[in-house]
Amino acid sequence: MKNIFTLLLAAGLFFALAGNTYAQENHGGALNTFVKFGEDASIAAHYEFQVADNITVSPEARFWFSGENDMALGGRADYYFDSLFGLPEKWDIWAGVDAGFLIGDGDSFTVNAHAGVEYRFTNAIGIIFEFAGGITSSGGIGVAFHL
């Protein structure tokens, strides 16, 4: 039942906002959702607010498809290195910190660091590689939908 609810929530969010597209050049005002594949498969979303040049803050939620974990809620702050490295628009490289609560079996709070890279095939779809060891941003390979 949990898997069906998670899938319906993700599909509803995707279709409800599919008419709006946000470019990542300013790194703010974008809803990023991605699916993490593998043993710890999950779906996550965060909405970025730009607070300074190349710096964003985001509320974040993560739902797992299986396992003990139900949901994680938290926030993150990211610094984008795109302009520093002179990257083309299709590439994003970032690093940041995140903090969040695990809701489910064994509720807990964590603070973690993360780093990632994304290549966008279109303005709306990209592939993410994020490296982290935490709960809210647990890293992995994913597909991003920029709505």
Side-chain angles (χ1 to χ4, degrees):
M1 183 67 177
K2 182 176 81 171
N3 291 343
I4 293 171
F5 174 75
T6 304
L7 184 59
L8 289 174
L9 179 66
L13 181 62
F14 178 76
F15 288 114
L17 298 170
N20 298 325
T21 311
Y22 301 95
Q24 282 290 106
E25 293 88 25
N26 293 328
H27 306 294
L31 175 65
N32 297 312
T33 63
F34 61 96
V35 176
K36 179 183 174 197
F37 301 102
E39 191 175 301
D40 196 21
S42 61
I43 187 167
H46 64 274
Y47 186 84
E48 294 182 289
F49 298 95
Q50 188 166 355
V51 294
D53 288 342
N54 300 318
I55 298 174
T56 63
V57 294
S58 312
E60 181 174 39
R62 177 175 296 278
F63 300 92
W64 281 269
F65 293 122
S66 62
E68 314 175 345
N69 300 327
D70 290 330
M71 181 172 83
L73 296 174
R76 60 191 281 155
D78 293 304
Y79 179 82
Y80 283 84
F81 297 97
D82 304 7
S83 59
L84 182 67
F85 296 146
L87 297 176
E89 274 187 40
K90 291 187 175 272
W91 288 96
D92 283 332
I93 295 179
W94 64 89
V97 294
D98 59 88
F101 290 94
L102 177 64
I103 300 168
D105 295 339
D107 295 348
S108 62
F109 176 78
T110 63
V111 177
N112 308 288
H114 59 265
V117 61
E118 177 186 359
Y119 177 79
R120 285 189 307 275
F121 300 109
T122 68
N123 281 340
I125 298 175
I127 187 165
I128 292 176
F129 298 93
E130 189 166 89
F131 308 96
I135 291 173
T136 52
S137 293
S138 60
I141 298 171
V143 178
F145 301 98
H146 298 275
L147 307 174

